[in-house]
Amino acid sequence: MKIIHAKDYADMSRKAANIISAQVILKPDCILGLATGSTPIGAYQQLIKWYEKGDVDFAQVSTYNLDEYRGLLHDDPQSYHFFMRDNFFNHINIDLSRTHVPDGSTTDAAAACAEYDRMVAAAGYPDLQLLGIGNNGHIGFNEPDDHFSAGTHCVDLTESTIEANSRLFDNIDDVPRQAYTMGVQTIMYARMIVIAASGEKKAQAVRDMCFGPVTPSCPASILQLHTNCVVVADEAALSLCPEA
């Protein structure tokens, strides 16, 4: 794993956006795996600025998001379909028909997950997969477990994840208890992985990811086995790492 040090959230966001924009410039019809949550917003804002300046063109890009809450319609303001349009897609020249997010509105979990796996495989998997990391080491919504997950699946969210995500809802009781998420094995098929982390609350997870044993109790630790994984993290997130 290559670790890129950033001063703070803004610096981390610029550095992550630099890597993503380079991928798009080098391969205009690339496939990007994208993430939601507060961590990637700064990178998306930077990419929007560069698009508005004419420095990067998303016209031929295809995207596949990691996850979606189960039970939310696509136009629900708390859905990741809405999040991606509001924070990124509506501000660049991407073809919305080339953007893909798991269908959380489908109640048939097995069918929804199988269809998403089929689409990602047919596309050839991401050239670059952007990830965040949860306080408990989760990637996507792959929570700590006794095994690494394979394909897209329905997951019961842990209380720590529900609590962390409650800041985006009016009430913690409004946070969905389940989500559809791309599996760890599918994530590992990406040709390059960029994982971004910011803040002291992520420090233990980042240390376990980079320097701990490879174990499903910290799903992100499997990224140690990827041949092209870049960690972009700020000083606070790297504060517990021995080489930081």
Side-chain angles (χ1 to χ4, degrees), residues 70-72 103-112 154 178 180:
R70 186 182 187 186
L72 297 188
D103 187 0
S105 66
T106 301
T107 56
D108 187 337
C154 183
Q178 291 184 314
Y180 298 147

Side-chain angles (χ1 to χ4, degrees), residues 155-230:
V155 63
D156 295 323
L157 303 181
T158 64
E159 287 304 315
S160 65
T161 296
I162 291 169
E163 182 178 353
N165 289 0
S166 66
R167 70 190 186 283
L168 304 173
F169 290 78
D170 293 333
N171 189 296
I172 192 170
D173 294 332
D174 296 332
V175 183
R177 265 45 186 175
Q178 291 184 314
Y180 298 147
T181 185
M182 194 182 289
V184 169
Q185 183 182 58
T186 307
I187 292 170
M188 292 290 283
Y189 284 146
R191 283 169 279 285
M192 180 181 187
I193 292 176
V194 176
I195 183 160
S198 174
E200 188 178 353
K201 290 183 178 180
K202 301 294 178 73
Q204 186 62 53
V206 170
R207 186 190 189 285
D208 292 344
M209 170 180 66
C210 296
F211 299 99
V214 176
T215 170
S217 64
C218 176
S221 65
I222 199 170
L223 300 178
Q224 294 179 37
L225 305 181
H226 197 276
T227 58
N228 189 13
C229 179
V230 178

Side-chain angles (χ1 to χ4, degrees), residues 87-181:
N87 287 285
F88 194 34
F89 297 153
N90 287 350
H91 308 284
I92 58 175
N93 65 331
I94 197 166
D95 181 347
L96 288 178
S97 69
R98 294 176 179 266
T99 66
H100 308 84
V101 182
D103 187 0
S105 66
T106 301
T107 56
D108 187 337
C113 294
E115 173 60 14
Y116 201 64
D117 274 342
R118 184 197 65 76
M119 290 194 299
V120 176
Y125 300 102
D127 294 293
L128 183 154
Q129 174 67 60
L130 176 64
L131 298 174
I133 182 171
N135 296 349
N136 61 2
H138 74 238
I139 48 176
F141 272 132
N142 293 284
E143 301 282 18
D145 207 336
D146 59 3
H147 66 281
F148 289 111
S149 59
T152 304
H153 58 289
C154 183
V155 63
D156 295 323
L157 303 181
T158 64
E159 287 304 315
S160 65
T161 296
I162 291 169
E163 182 178 353
N165 289 0
S166 66
R167 70 190 186 283
L168 304 173
F169 290 78
D170 293 333
N171 189 296
I172 192 170
D173 294 332
D174 296 332
V175 183
R177 265 45 186 175
Q178 291 184 314
Y180 298 147
T181 185

Side-chain angles (χ1 to χ4, degrees), residues 23-69:
Q23 172 65 73
V24 175
I25 291 167
L26 290 170
K27 186 181 180 183
D29 62 346
C30 67
I31 299 169
L32 298 179
L34 299 180
T36 52
S38 56
T39 299
I41 289 178
Y44 294 151
Q45 291 173 340
Q46 183 65 70
L47 289 168
I48 291 167
K49 290 178 182 177
W50 287 334
Y51 160 71
E52 290 173 344
K53 289 175 60 180
D55 292 338
V56 62
D57 181 0
F58 295 92
Q60 299 180 61
V61 171
S62 297
T63 67
Y64 290 83
N65 264 74
L66 287 165
D67 41 33
E68 174 63 285
Y69 287 118

